[in-house]
Amino acid sequence: MLAALLKDIPRAKVLVIGDAMLDRYWYGAVDRISPEAPVPVVAVGRSEERPGGAANVATNVVSLGAACTLVCMSGDDAAADSLTRLTQDAGVAIDLVRDKLVNTTVKLRVVSRNQQLIRIDFETQVSKDTRARMLERYLAKLPGCDAVIVSDYGKGGTGHIQEMIRAARAAGTPILIDPKGDNYDAYAGATLVTPNRKEFEQVAGRFTDNDDLARRASAMIERLQLDGVLVTRSEEGMSLFERGGGVMHVPTQAREVYDVTGAGDTVIATLGAAYAVKAQPRDAIRLANMAAGIVVGKLGAVAIDRRELAAAVQ
């Protein structure tokens, strides 16, 4: 079933909207401690840029073989130029709403000997006008897609999320949300929300066992009128809770956890591509779990390799 699903994905058309960012990596050696403060001195030898946030979700969708349109916001700066180039080179159709009043979100990671030493974030909140323009472009592109992914990183790019959900539901298009924050009321009516364990407990409270988790997830589904909740649980795998009482726990597929950066992006991208071809939720979860098990074995946020995933399925 998973092999057949993977073969179906190239006919999917996925719309991703949310908070895109540019991931920068500085790599270098540490040979001494600074005389100015007890911190390591990194002699940077090379640098790298990758699409991050919603842009990483979009590149994952394309890497799976599906077509993807990305609607996101940025500043009007060099980082936005880099983000556009990187996503276009990956095969994503990007619709970037530039705002001269903000800076493009950039996450800079300093790495030495494959160990992240520090992350430095550059970010500003999006304006109301830019959020309105994003909604307009979303509504214009919605009719041509098979599934919607909302990648919420709390940067303001999903300010009109309820309008997005209602429009997708009216069109009969599944809408999946990677959530943020301690209040999920804005996600009411979505097809699926995919919090990790920490995010879920921040909203629903700490759970003690699988039965307690099921009760809390069911309460969330009923209160927000969701079709389902998927809780990603790191080394404990994933747990899917569906309206009507369906429950599925999937053990992790990770052989070795090297870096969890971007794993959530890979999960929701795989789910969105699977939902776009009308896969059964449980098959979609299994495929997403396999994809996550592959990317956590790599450094930084990277897109899933379709050939690796196909090999894992086989």
Side-chain angles (χ1 to χ4, degrees), residues 19-21 23 51-58 151 153 265:
D19 299 312
M21 57 196 70
D23 285 348
N56 186 42
V57 175
S151 180
Y153 273 82
D265 296 339

Side-chain angles (χ1 to χ4, degrees), residues 157-171:
T158 59
H160 292 282
I161 183 64
Q162 263 301 295
E163 290 92 331
M164 296 175 192
I165 292 171
R166 286 196 293 267
R169 286 301 216 179

